[in-house]
Each structure stands twice: as C-alpha cells, then as structure tokens.
Amino acid sequence: MIIGRDLTRIYGMGAVKVRALNGVSVKIQKGDFVGIMGPSGSGKSTLLHMFGLLDRPTSGTILIDGVDAGTLDERARTQFRLRRLGYVFQDYALVPELTAKENVYLPSMARGMTAQECTLACSEILTLFGLGNRIHHLPGEMSGGEQQRVAIARALVNRPTLLLADEPCANLDSQNSKIILDLFQRLNRDLHQTIVMVSHEEWHKKYFDRIISMKDGVIEEEVNRSEGGELTPSP
Ligand SMILES: Nc1ncnc2c1ncn2[C@@H]1O[C@H](COP(=O)(O)OP(=O)(O)OP(=O)(O)O)[C@@H](O)[C@H]1O
Ligand SMILES: [Mg+2]
C-alpha cells in the first residue's frame, strides 16, 4: 500500500545541512502493525511525515497504492489526508481555542458528516478514551496525557484506512498506554487497520508485527514477527 524508495530529506539548504533521511526504502502493507524505533533525531518523525504526505522528500519516491505521491497536486494530497489518513502528531497539534470535542469534530466535519453525526461520533470516541467528562475542556485545561488522548481520538474518528501515530503514548502512564495499545491491537486484528507507530518503549515491541529500527537517517535493522510469534531479522 505504501512503498518508499530511496527516500532522502535534507533540511536547511544553506551552510548547515541535516540529512534527516539518508536513503530509506520501506514497504508498508495493508493490515501491518509496524513500529518505528530508534534514538532521538534518527529520522522517525520525518519518515512518518512522508507516509502522511505532510512533507515531500528531497529525493526518492513514495507510492501510495501504486500512485506516485510526487505527481499528486495539493488538492489530491489533502483529499488523501482527509479521507484515508489518521495522524497523531508528536506534539498533539490540537487547536488551542477549540474544546476537546471541537478538535475531534474537525476531521469529521471536513468529511461532510452532518452536525448530528459528528456530535455523536465525537462524544462516543472521547468517552471510549475516558474523556467523557472533558469534552468541553480546552487543551490548556487538560493534562498532557488527556491532550494526547484527544489527539488519538481525532485521528481515529473518521475510521482511517491508515493510522500514523508519532509516539502516541509518550505522555501516558503505563496503564493508559496499555489501553491505547490494546485498542490499536484490536483495530489491527479485527478490522485489519494498518498502523505505523513511532515508539521509544521496549515493552511496546510485543504489540508490533514488524519493527523498523532507524539510526542517523537510515534503517539500521528490520525485524518481523514469525508465525511462532518471535521477532526475527529480515534478510
Ligand atoms: N524542520 C527542521 N529543520 C531542520 N532540521 C530538522 C527539522 N526537523 C527535523 N530536523 C532534524 O532532522 C533530524 C531528524 O529529526 P526527526 O524529528 O525525524 O527525529 P526523530 O527520530 O523523530 O526524533 P525524536 O525521537 O526526538 O522525536 C534531527 O537531527 C532534527 O534535528
Ligand atoms: Mg520524532
């Protein structure tokens, strides 16, 4: 479903250049639950931005269902993001002036759902995430973990075909992290939801079917879960 070929992303075209991605080739299949791991600054968020068509590579190609994303105009890229993508940003990217419910409302409204459908979907998903009593709170009136859960709810409200989540548990305690990861696992197993998730936590590994380890802008290692459940390096 997504194929990245020889992707590079160089930031700062002046004197100081940062090679955030330095030749990454990767394939994400429908129904995958992939973890992207690696040290800070290794290019994980940059790669996730590429998958979400939030950024363009300096060189290399991204194919989405066989279509070269580089040939799509901004309108087509926006349509892809609206219709097919759920994205949890590392810094949440909630709109500070809008309540939890209104933040979740945005993508469903943009998709043309009726006000009644939006209200119902938003209340349902916020309650599912234990935020039933926070729906009228502004982001500034919520804890980091609560804001993070609003951001996850917003990413899932449209039932995206592709969920990209950048450290979605970074501000959650282990109990709430487990709730989110168990939910992701259920979505993946029962509805074949494709998920690509960035994580720093060793214990998250048991949820992933495949782990891409990044270092200095390249894939250092890729491991797959075998039938028996163990993680083994890809050839
Ligand atoms: N907008 C930008 N301008 C210049 N350099 C950038 C920019 N965004 C990221 N970088 C650099 O690119 C490299 C990769 O950044 P990226 O955010 O992808 O790392 P990461 O693996 O997600 O790290 P973390 O675990 O800290 O979130 C880093 O060295 C970072 O400083
Ligand atoms: Mg990051």
Side-chain angles (χ1 to χ4, degrees):
M1 130 183 250
I2 304 181
I3 299 175
R5 281 196 198 128
D6 211 14
L7 298 170
T8 70
R9 177 64 167 99
I10 303 169
Y11 287 113
M13 303 308 282
V16 183
K17 291 183 183 172
V18 178
R19 283 185 171 270
L21 294 179
N22 199 8
V24 170
S25 294
V26 65
K27 204 181 269 187
I28 309 289
Q29 313 266 25
K30 182 165 169 36
D32 272 352
F33 190 174
V34 179
I36 301 182
M37 304 190 79
S40 180
S42 56
K44 305 180 298 297
S45 297
T46 307
L47 182 60
L48 211 65
H49 288 159
M50 298 292 161
F51 292 157
L53 306 191
L54 295 166
D55 190 12
R56 291 178 187 266
T58 307
S59 66
T61 19
I62 297 168
L63 295 171
I64 302 216
D65 293 337
V67 177
D68 181 348
T71 65
L72 300 176
D73 61 17
E74 279 313 316
R75 192 168 173 278
R77 290 166 74 90
T78 304
Q79 283 302 315
F80 164 81
R81 290 192 292 262
L82 266 180
R83 306 222 160 264
R84 305 196 30 207
L85 183 71
Y87 201 103
V88 184
F89 290 88
Q90 188 166 8
D91 60 0
Y92 325 133
L94 297 176
V95 182
E97 295 83 9
L98 300 182
T99 65
K101 184 168 153 185
E102 289 162 349
N103 265 287
V104 177
Y105 217 95
L106 284 178
S108 37
M109 229 171 51
R111 263 188 81 164
M113 281 163 79
T114 66
Q116 200 180 9
E117 286 167 338
C118 288
T119 304
L120 192 67
C122 296
S123 302
E124 258 176 25
I125 197 154
L126 285 168
T127 305
L128 175 72
F129 285 119
L131 294 167
N133 55 356
R134 293 284 183 280
I135 52 180
H136 300 301
H137 284 231
L138 296 170
E141 298 166 344
M142 286 184 280
S143 71
E146 286 167 347
Q147 291 179 58
Q148 189 145 43
R149 281 180 281 157
V150 174
I152 299 169
R154 180 181 59 183
L156 285 171
V157 73
N158 276 349
R159 306 212 172 107
T161 45
L162 174 63
L163 175 65
L164 301 176
D166 200 345
E167 303 199 35
C169 302
N171 272 294
L172 303 180
D173 55 35
S174 55
Q175 194 189 343
N176 275 303
S177 299
K178 192 172 175 310
I179 290 171
I180 297 293
L181 284 159
D182 287 344
L183 172 80
F184 281 9
Q185 191 170 56
R186 275 206 312 280
L187 290 172
N188 174 254
R189 289 196 179 155
D190 301 345
L191 303 174
H192 308 292
Q193 170 78 59
T194 313
I195 306 174
V196 184
M197 172 178 156
V198 176
S199 163
H200 274 292
E201 296 284 340
E202 278 295 308
W203 69 271
H204 292 175
K205 283 185 173 175
K206 66 172 186 277
Y207 286 91
F208 304 141
D209 294 329
R210 189 142 67 88
I211 299 169
I212 294 170
S213 299
M214 296 198 61
K215 195 178 173 196
D216 299 332
V218 297
I219 294 179
E220 191 182 40
E221 189 191 42
E222 210 176 312
V223 294
N224 286 294
R225 193 171 300 286
S226 66
E227 292 286 315
E230 310 89 52
L231 289 163
T232 49
S234 293

